[in-house]
Amino acid sequence: METSPFHDDERAAQAFADVRAAGGGIRAFMPDQHRSFFELLPYLFVATTDAQGWPLATMLTSAPGFVHSPDPVTLRVNALPDRHDPAAGSIIEGAELGILGLDLSTRRRNRANGRVSGLDDQGFTVAVHQSFGNCPQYIQGRVVRSKASAGRGVEQMTSLDVEAMAMIRQADTFFVASRSRPGISAAGGVDISHRGGRSGFVQVEGDVLTIPDYRGNRYFNTLGNLLGEPRAGLLFIDFETGDLLQLQGLATIDWSDRAAGLVEGAERLWTFRVTGGWRRRAAAGLRWAFVDYSPATERTGVWRPAA
């Protein structure tokens, strides 16, 4: 019987990193403090998969209370991706979802992964099979500045243009959707996680993004998934304009020691080769103001020239 909260590829990633995580904070239900936290949020980050199985990362926004938990193993979300969102139509009954509740103003975040158990015109219900909190490291402080009308269509792209590359280079935050490979244990599924660093921490060369991986909770949920299933989805947000950049591509992890020599604070690197994406201008229903970098982010450095 499966007793570990980690699947085989997560354990393999932990071994590559020479760490071992007990995973005691991962539960098959949501504690009351997690359930009440979700109810406070005006935005939610969601990972799903398209018809070909590629992960997609998106964000839903509405008035606080649009996410709530009627019981410890159920999460109700009264919102759906709009028709311009590449994730539209991917939330169907039985689909695996990764959910991240994040309050940028307090740097608090909780995960709730599971399957869609109900769907209607107003939203969807998730049967939660994994719930856990994450530390506040690398989360830049932001506060909601205003609400805004969402959506001005969508621009599909097969590669990054100059504008998209500039947006990525300026980013101090993004989100990554991943999934476990077929045939993995019951501990697998779809996941979404946060990544943060100093503005410019994501290096861009053409359609290849190189990302430093800093010390985290040692669970290796994302990198474990990417070991077995390299397809991933990224979400970049322009917090001032509400523009969203949603990308799909293939990830490769560099476990060598060279990362520490290139970026202060990095323990390893991973690359993401873009295969396609979408730009949705002013798609977010909220606008944020920057407050400060996370103390953990301030301890990281910038990219050094390669020797």
Side-chain angles (χ1 to χ4, degrees), residues 100-153:
L100 172 63
L102 173 61
D103 184 343
L104 294 167
S105 67
T106 63
R107 298 188 170 95
R108 184 180 174 189
R109 55 178 162 172
N110 291 317
R111 309 260 272 277
N113 300 340
R115 288 184 180 272
V116 178
S117 58
L119 178 69
D120 55 46
D121 292 341
Q122 303 303 311
F124 57 96
T125 304
V126 179
V128 174
H129 70 74
Q130 275 195 344
S131 171
F132 54 101
N134 283 153
C135 66
Q137 294 189 101
Y138 316 111
I139 299 174
Q140 315 334 330
R142 284 184 164 87
V143 293
V144 174
R145 176 169 52 85
S146 63
K147 297 180 181 179
S149 299
R152 287 189 294 183

Short mmCIF file of all heavy atoms in Angstrom, two decimals, residues 100-153:
data_model
loop_
_atom_site.label_atom_id
_atom_site.label_comp_id
_atom_site.label_asym_id
_atom_site.label_seq_id
_atom_site.Cartn_x
_atom_site.Cartn_y
_atom_site.Cartn_z
N LEU A 100 -3.30 26.54 -6.37
CA LEU A 100 -2.43 27.29 -5.47
C LEU A 100 -3.17 28.53 -5.00
O LEU A 100 -3.54 29.39 -5.80
CB LEU A 100 -1.14 27.70 -6.19
CG LEU A 100 -0.21 28.65 -5.42
CD1 LEU A 100 0.31 28.00 -4.15
CD2 LEU A 100 0.94 29.09 -6.31
N GLY A 101 -3.40 28.60 -3.71
CA GLY A 101 -3.91 29.81 -3.09
C GLY A 101 -2.73 30.62 -2.57
O GLY A 101 -1.92 30.10 -1.81
N LEU A 102 -2.64 31.87 -3.00
CA LEU A 102 -1.48 32.70 -2.66
C LEU A 102 -1.96 34.12 -2.35
O LEU A 102 -2.66 34.73 -3.17
CB LEU A 102 -0.50 32.72 -3.83
CG LEU A 102 0.70 33.67 -3.74
CD1 LEU A 102 1.58 33.33 -2.55
CD2 LEU A 102 1.52 33.61 -5.04
N ASP A 103 -1.58 34.63 -1.20
CA ASP A 103 -1.84 36.02 -0.85
C ASP A 103 -0.51 36.76 -0.94
O ASP A 103 0.36 36.61 -0.07
CB ASP A 103 -2.42 36.12 0.56
CG ASP A 103 -2.81 37.54 0.94
OD1 ASP A 103 -2.34 38.49 0.27
OD2 ASP A 103 -3.56 37.71 1.91
N LEU A 104 -0.32 37.54 -1.99
CA LEU A 104 0.94 38.24 -2.18
C LEU A 104 1.21 39.27 -1.10
O LEU A 104 2.37 39.60 -0.82
CB LEU A 104 0.95 38.92 -3.55
CG LEU A 104 0.94 37.96 -4.76
CD1 LEU A 104 0.63 38.73 -6.04
CD2 LEU A 104 2.25 37.22 -4.89
N SER A 105 0.16 39.78 -0.47
CA SER A 105 0.35 40.82 0.55
C SER A 105 0.91 40.24 1.85
O SER A 105 1.57 40.96 2.61
CB SER A 105 -0.97 41.55 0.82
OG SER A 105 -1.91 40.69 1.44
N THR A 106 0.65 38.97 2.12
CA THR A 106 1.13 38.33 3.36
C THR A 106 2.17 37.25 3.09
O THR A 106 2.75 36.72 4.02
CB THR A 106 -0.03 37.70 4.13
OG1 THR A 106 -0.61 36.65 3.33
CG2 THR A 106 -1.10 38.74 4.46
N ARG A 107 2.36 36.91 1.81
CA ARG A 107 3.27 35.84 1.38
C ARG A 107 2.84 34.47 1.89
O ARG A 107 3.64 33.56 2.02
CB ARG A 107 4.72 36.14 1.83
CG ARG A 107 5.30 37.41 1.24
CD ARG A 107 6.78 37.54 1.56
NE ARG A 107 7.38 38.62 0.80
CZ ARG A 107 7.54 39.86 1.26
NH1 ARG A 107 7.15 40.16 2.49
NH2 ARG A 107 8.10 40.78 0.50
N ARG A 108 1.58 34.30 2.13
CA ARG A 108 1.06 33.01 2.56
C ARG A 108 0.57 32.25 1.35
O ARG A 108 -0.05 32.82 0.45
CB ARG A 108 -0.08 33.21 3.57
CG ARG A 108 -0.60 31.91 4.14
CD ARG A 108 -1.73 32.17 5.12
NE ARG A 108 -2.34 30.92 5.56
CZ ARG A 108 -3.45 30.84 6.28
NH1 ARG A 108 -4.07 31.97 6.63
NH2 ARG A 108 -3.96 29.67 6.62
N ARG A 109 0.84 30.95 1.31
CA ARG A 109 0.39 30.13 0.19
C ARG A 109 0.07 28.71 0.65
O ARG A 109 0.74 28.15 1.51
CB ARG A 109 1.42 30.09 -0.92
CG ARG A 109 2.80 29.64 -0.51
CD ARG A 109 3.77 29.59 -1.69
NE ARG A 109 5.16 29.57 -1.23
CZ ARG A 109 6.20 29.37 -2.02
NH1 ARG A 109 6.02 29.14 -3.30
NH2 ARG A 109 7.43 29.39 -1.54
N ASN A 110 -0.98 28.15 0.05
CA ASN A 110 -1.40 26.78 0.33
C ASN A 110 -1.77 26.09 -0.98
O ASN A 110 -2.31 26.72 -1.89
CB ASN A 110 -2.62 26.76 1.27
CG ASN A 110 -2.27 27.23 2.67
OD1 ASN A 110 -1.24 26.85 3.22
ND2 ASN A 110 -3.13 28.05 3.26
N ARG A 111 -1.48 24.81 -1.04
CA ARG A 111 -1.78 24.01 -2.24
C ARG A 111 -2.94 23.06 -1.93
O ARG A 111 -3.09 22.57 -0.81
CB ARG A 111 -0.55 23.20 -2.66
CG ARG A 111 0.72 24.01 -2.79
CD ARG A 111 1.04 24.36 -4.21
NE ARG A 111 1.84 23.34 -4.86
CZ ARG A 111 3.16 23.24 -4.76
NH1 ARG A 111 3.86 24.09 -4.00
NH2 ARG A 111 3.81 22.30 -5.42
N ALA A 112 -3.73 22.76 -2.95
CA ALA A 112 -4.82 21.79 -2.83
C ALA A 112 -4.98 21.13 -4.19
O ALA A 112 -5.58 21.72 -5.10
CB ALA A 112 -6.12 22.45 -2.38
N ASN A 113 -4.45 19.94 -4.35
CA ASN A 113 -4.49 19.23 -5.63
C ASN A 113 -5.52 18.11 -5.59
O ASN A 113 -5.73 17.47 -4.56
CB ASN A 113 -3.11 18.66 -5.96
CG ASN A 113 -2.04 19.72 -6.07
OD1 ASN A 113 -2.35 20.90 -6.25
ND2 ASN A 113 -0.79 19.34 -5.96
N GLY A 114 -6.17 17.87 -6.72
CA GLY A 114 -7.17 16.81 -6.75
C GLY A 114 -7.81 16.67 -8.11
O GLY A 114 -7.19 16.96 -9.14
N ARG A 115 -9.06 16.24 -8.14
CA ARG A 115 -9.82 16.03 -9.37
C ARG A 115 -11.13 16.81 -9.34
O ARG A 115 -11.72 17.02 -8.28
CB ARG A 115 -10.14 14.55 -9.57
CG ARG A 115 -8.94 13.69 -9.95
CD ARG A 115 -9.38 12.26 -10.23
NE ARG A 115 -8.25 11.42 -10.59
CZ ARG A 115 -7.80 11.26 -11.83
NH1 ARG A 115 -8.41 11.89 -12.83
NH2 ARG A 115 -6.76 10.48 -12.08
N VAL A 116 -11.57 17.21 -10.53
CA VAL A 116 -12.85 17.89 -10.66
C VAL A 116 -13.97 16.88 -10.40
O VAL A 116 -14.09 15.87 -11.09
CB VAL A 116 -13.02 18.51 -12.06
CG1 VAL A 116 -14.39 19.17 -12.19
CG2 VAL A 116 -11.90 19.51 -12.33
N SER A 117 -14.77 17.15 -9.38
CA SER A 117 -15.87 16.25 -9.03
C SER A 117 -17.23 16.81 -9.42
O SER A 117 -18.25 16.11 -9.33
CB SER A 117 -15.86 15.96 -7.53
OG SER A 117 -15.97 17.16 -6.78
N GLY A 118 -17.26 18.07 -9.87
CA GLY A 118 -18.51 18.69 -10.29
C GLY A 118 -18.23 19.92 -11.13
O GLY A 118 -17.22 20.59 -10.93
N LEU A 119 -19.13 20.20 -12.07
CA LEU A 119 -18.94 21.32 -12.98
C LEU A 119 -20.30 21.87 -13.38
O LEU A 119 -21.24 21.10 -13.66
CB LEU A 119 -18.17 20.85 -14.22
CG LEU A 119 -17.90 21.87 -15.33
CD1 LEU A 119 -16.90 22.91 -14.86
CD2 LEU A 119 -17.38 21.17 -16.58
N ASP A 120 -20.43 23.20 -13.37
CA ASP A 120 -21.65 23.83 -13.84
C ASP A 120 -21.29 25.18 -14.46
O ASP A 120 -20.11 25.51 -14.61
CB ASP A 120 -22.67 23.99 -12.70
CG ASP A 120 -22.12 24.73 -11.50
OD1 ASP A 120 -21.48 25.79 -11.68
OD2 ASP A 120 -22.32 24.25 -10.36
N ASP A 121 -22.30 25.96 -14.81
CA ASP A 121 -22.05 27.24 -15.48
C ASP A 121 -21.37 28.26 -14.58
O ASP A 121 -20.80 29.24 -15.08
CB ASP A 121 -23.37 27.83 -15.99
CG ASP A 121 -23.98 27.02 -17.12
OD1 ASP A 121 -23.23 26.24 -17.73
OD2 ASP A 121 -25.19 27.17 -17.37
N GLN A 122 -21.42 28.07 -13.28
CA GLN A 122 -20.86 29.02 -12.34
C GLN A 122 -19.43 28.69 -11.92
O GLN A 122 -18.70 29.58 -11.47
CB GLN A 122 -21.73 29.10 -11.08
CG GLN A 122 -23.18 29.47 -11.35
CD GLN A 122 -23.31 30.80 -12.07
OE1 GLN A 122 -22.70 31.79 -11.67
NE2 GLN A 122 -24.09 30.82 -13.14
N GLY A 123 -19.03 27.44 -12.06
CA GLY A 123 -17.70 27.07 -11.62
C GLY A 123 -17.54 25.57 -11.49
O GLY A 123 -18.22 24.79 -12.18
N PHE A 124 -16.65 25.15 -10.60
CA PHE A 124 -16.34 23.73 -10.48
C PHE A 124 -16.02 23.37 -9.04
O PHE A 124 -15.70 24.23 -8.21
CB PHE A 124 -15.16 23.36 -11.39
CG PHE A 124 -13.90 24.16 -11.14
CD1 PHE A 124 -12.89 23.67 -10.33
CD2 PHE A 124 -13.73 25.41 -11.73
CE1 PHE A 124 -11.73 24.40 -10.11
CE2 PHE A 124 -12.56 26.15 -11.52
CZ PHE A 124 -11.57 25.64 -10.70
N THR A 125 -16.10 22.09 -8.75
CA THR A 125 -15.82 21.55 -7.43
C THR A 125 -14.66 20.57 -7.55
O THR A 125 -14.58 19.80 -8.51
CB THR A 125 -17.06 20.83 -6.86
OG1 THR A 125 -18.16 21.74 -6.85
CG2 THR A 125 -16.81 20.31 -5.45
N VAL A 126 -13.76 20.62 -6.58
CA VAL A 126 -12.57 19.77 -6.59
C VAL A 126 -12.61 18.83 -5.40
O VAL A 126 -12.82 19.26 -4.26
CB VAL A 126 -11.27 20.62 -6.54
CG1 VAL A 126 -10.04 19.71 -6.52
CG2 VAL A 126 -11.22 21.58 -7.72
N ALA A 127 -12.42 17.54 -5.66
CA ALA A 127 -12.21 16.56 -4.60
C ALA A 127 -10.71 16.54 -4.31
O ALA A 127 -9.90 16.11 -5.14
CB ALA A 127 -12.69 15.18 -5.05
N VAL A 128 -10.33 17.05 -3.16
CA VAL A 128 -8.92 17.25 -2.80
C VAL A 128 -8.30 15.93 -2.36
O VAL A 128 -8.86 15.22 -1.52
CB VAL A 128 -8.79 18.31 -1.69
CG1 VAL A 128 -7.36 18.43 -1.20
CG2 VAL A 128 -9.32 19.65 -2.19
N HIS A 129 -7.12 15.61 -2.92
CA HIS A 129 -6.41 14.41 -2.43
C HIS A 129 -5.04 14.75 -1.84
O HIS A 129 -4.44 13.90 -1.18
CB HIS A 129 -6.28 13.36 -3.53
CG HIS A 129 -5.35 13.73 -4.65
ND1 HIS A 129 -3.99 13.72 -4.53
CD2 HIS A 129 -5.61 14.10 -5.93
CE1 HIS A 129 -3.44 14.06 -5.69
NE2 HIS A 129 -4.39 14.32 -6.55
N GLN A 130 -4.55 15.99 -2.05
CA GLN A 130 -3.34 16.45 -1.38
C GLN A 130 -3.49 17.90 -1.00
O GLN A 130 -3.92 18.72 -1.81
CB GLN A 130 -2.10 16.29 -2.27
CG GLN A 130 -1.46 14.93 -2.24
CD GLN A 130 -0.05 14.95 -2.85
OE1 GLN A 130 0.33 15.88 -3.56
NE2 GLN A 130 0.71 13.91 -2.58
N SER A 131 -3.11 18.22 0.24
CA SER A 131 -3.18 19.60 0.72
C SER A 131 -1.94 19.87 1.55
O SER A 131 -1.57 19.06 2.41
CB SER A 131 -4.44 19.80 1.57
OG SER A 131 -4.43 21.05 2.21
N PHE A 132 -1.28 21.00 1.28
CA PHE A 132 -0.12 21.35 2.10
C PHE A 132 0.20 22.83 1.93
O PHE A 132 -0.13 23.45 0.93
CB PHE A 132 1.10 20.49 1.76
CG PHE A 132 1.52 20.47 0.32
CD1 PHE A 132 2.58 21.24 -0.14
CD2 PHE A 132 0.87 19.64 -0.59
CE1 PHE A 132 2.98 21.20 -1.46
CE2 PHE A 132 1.26 19.58 -1.92
CZ PHE A 132 2.32 20.37 -2.36
N GLY A 133 0.85 23.36 2.93
CA GLY A 133 1.28 24.74 2.88
C GLY A 133 2.70 24.84 2.37
O GLY A 133 3.44 23.86 2.37
N ASN A 134 3.07 26.02 1.91
CA ASN A 134 4.43 26.30 1.47
C ASN A 134 4.98 27.49 2.24
O ASN A 134 4.21 28.36 2.69
CB ASN A 134 4.49 26.62 -0.03
CG ASN A 134 4.38 25.39 -0.91
OD1 ASN A 134 3.93 25.47 -2.04
ND2 ASN A 134 4.80 24.23 -0.42
N CYS A 135 6.29 27.57 2.35
CA CYS A 135 6.92 28.69 3.06
C CYS A 135 6.80 29.97 2.23
O CYS A 135 6.52 29.92 1.04
CB CYS A 135 8.39 28.37 3.33
SG CYS A 135 9.39 28.24 1.83
N PRO A 136 7.03 31.14 2.86
CA PRO A 136 6.87 32.41 2.15
C PRO A 136 8.09 32.84 1.34
O PRO A 136 8.11 33.95 0.79
CB PRO A 136 6.61 33.39 3.29
CG PRO A 136 7.37 32.83 4.44
CD PRO A 136 7.23 31.33 4.30
N GLN A 137 9.10 31.98 1.23
CA GLN A 137 10.33 32.37 0.55
C GLN A 137 10.07 32.75 -0.91
O GLN A 137 9.27 32.12 -1.60
CB GLN A 137 11.33 31.22 0.58
CG GLN A 137 11.85 30.87 1.96
CD GLN A 137 12.99 29.88 1.89
OE1 GLN A 137 14.16 30.24 1.99
NE2 GLN A 137 12.65 28.61 1.69
N TYR A 138 10.79 33.78 -1.36
CA TYR A 138 10.84 34.22 -2.76
C TYR A 138 9.52 34.80 -3.27
O TYR A 138 9.36 35.01 -4.47
CB TYR A 138 11.32 33.09 -3.68
CG TYR A 138 12.50 32.34 -3.11
CD1 TYR A 138 12.38 31.03 -2.67
CD2 TYR A 138 13.74 32.97 -2.99
CE1 TYR A 138 13.46 30.35 -2.12
CE2 TYR A 138 14.82 32.29 -2.44
CZ TYR A 138 14.68 30.99 -2.01
OH TYR A 138 15.75 30.31 -1.46
N ILE A 139 8.56 35.04 -2.37
CA ILE A 139 7.30 35.67 -2.76
C ILE A 139 7.45 37.18 -2.58
O ILE A 139 7.64 37.66 -1.45
CB ILE A 139 6.11 35.15 -1.93
CG1 ILE A 139 5.94 33.64 -2.13
CG2 ILE A 139 4.83 35.89 -2.31
CD1 ILE A 139 4.88 33.03 -1.23
N GLN A 140 7.37 37.93 -3.66
CA GLN A 140 7.49 39.38 -3.57
C GLN A 140 6.18 39.96 -3.05
O GLN A 140 5.09 39.54 -3.46
CB GLN A 140 7.83 39.99 -4.94
CG GLN A 140 8.88 39.33 -5.79
CD GLN A 140 9.96 38.53 -5.11
OE1 GLN A 140 10.36 38.79 -3.98
NE2 GLN A 140 10.43 37.50 -5.80
N GLY A 141 6.30 40.93 -2.15
CA GLY A 141 5.11 41.54 -1.57
C GLY A 141 4.39 42.45 -2.57
O GLY A 141 5.01 43.31 -3.19
N ARG A 142 3.10 42.23 -2.72
CA ARG A 142 2.26 43.08 -3.57
C ARG A 142 0.89 43.22 -2.94
O ARG A 142 0.42 42.32 -2.23
CB ARG A 142 2.11 42.47 -4.98
CG ARG A 142 3.32 42.65 -5.86
CD ARG A 142 3.10 42.12 -7.27
NE ARG A 142 4.11 42.62 -8.18
CZ ARG A 142 5.29 42.03 -8.38
NH1 ARG A 142 5.58 40.90 -7.75
NH2 ARG A 142 6.17 42.56 -9.21
N VAL A 143 0.25 44.34 -3.22
CA VAL A 143 -1.12 44.56 -2.75
C VAL A 143 -2.00 44.87 -3.95
O VAL A 143 -1.54 45.46 -4.94
CB VAL A 143 -1.20 45.70 -1.72
CG1 VAL A 143 -0.47 45.33 -0.44
CG2 VAL A 143 -0.65 47.00 -2.30
N VAL A 144 -3.24 44.44 -3.87
CA VAL A 144 -4.19 44.75 -4.94
C VAL A 144 -4.44 46.24 -4.94
O VAL A 144 -4.81 46.84 -3.92
CB VAL A 144 -5.51 43.98 -4.74
CG1 VAL A 144 -6.54 44.42 -5.76
CG2 VAL A 144 -5.27 42.47 -4.86
N ARG A 145 -4.22 46.86 -6.08
CA ARG A 145 -4.38 48.31 -6.23
C ARG A 145 -5.77 48.68 -6.73
O ARG A 145 -6.35 49.68 -6.31
CB ARG A 145 -3.31 48.84 -7.19
CG ARG A 145 -3.39 50.30 -7.53
CD ARG A 145 -2.13 50.77 -8.25
NE ARG A 145 -1.79 49.93 -9.39
CZ ARG A 145 -2.29 50.08 -10.62
NH1 ARG A 145 -3.18 51.03 -10.86
NH2 ARG A 145 -1.92 49.29 -11.61
N SER A 146 -6.31 47.87 -7.65
CA SER A 146 -7.61 48.19 -8.22
C SER A 146 -8.17 46.98 -8.94
O SER A 146 -7.46 46.02 -9.25
CB SER A 146 -7.50 49.37 -9.21
OG SER A 146 -6.66 49.01 -10.30
N LYS A 147 -9.46 47.04 -9.20
CA LYS A 147 -10.12 46.08 -10.07
C LYS A 147 -10.11 46.65 -11.48
O LYS A 147 -9.96 47.85 -11.68
CB LYS A 147 -11.55 45.81 -9.61
CG LYS A 147 -11.65 45.19 -8.23
CD LYS A 147 -13.10 44.96 -7.85
CE LYS A 147 -13.20 44.36 -6.45
NZ LYS A 147 -14.63 44.16 -6.05
N ALA A 148 -10.29 45.78 -12.46
CA ALA A 148 -10.27 46.23 -13.85
C ALA A 148 -11.12 45.30 -14.69
O ALA A 148 -11.33 44.14 -14.36
CB ALA A 148 -8.84 46.27 -14.40
N SER A 149 -11.62 45.83 -15.79
CA SER A 149 -12.32 44.99 -16.75
C SER A 149 -11.30 44.06 -17.41
O SER A 149 -10.21 44.50 -17.80
CB SER A 149 -13.01 45.84 -17.82
OG SER A 149 -13.98 46.68 -17.22
N ALA A 150 -11.65 42.81 -17.51
CA ALA A 150 -10.69 41.81 -17.98
C ALA A 150 -10.90 41.50 -19.46
O ALA A 150 -12.02 41.42 -19.94
CB ALA A 150 -10.81 40.54 -17.16
N GLY A 151 -9.79 41.36 -20.16
CA GLY A 151 -9.84 40.75 -21.47
C GLY A 151 -9.89 41.67 -22.66
O GLY A 151 -10.75 42.52 -22.77
N ARG A 152 -8.91 41.50 -23.54
CA ARG A 152 -8.93 42.16 -24.84
C ARG A 152 -8.47 41.17 -25.91
O ARG A 152 -7.65 41.47 -26.75
CB ARG A 152 -8.02 43.39 -24.83
CG ARG A 152 -8.59 44.55 -24.04
CD ARG A 152 -7.77 45.80 -24.22
NE ARG A 152 -6.43 45.66 -23.65
CZ ARG A 152 -5.53 46.64 -23.64
NH1 ARG A 152 -5.82 47.81 -24.17
NH2 ARG A 152 -4.35 46.45 -23.11
N GLY A 153 -9.00 39.96 -25.84
CA GLY A 153 -8.66 38.95 -26.82
C GLY A 153 -7.39 38.20 -26.47
O GLY A 153 -6.86 38.31 -25.37
#
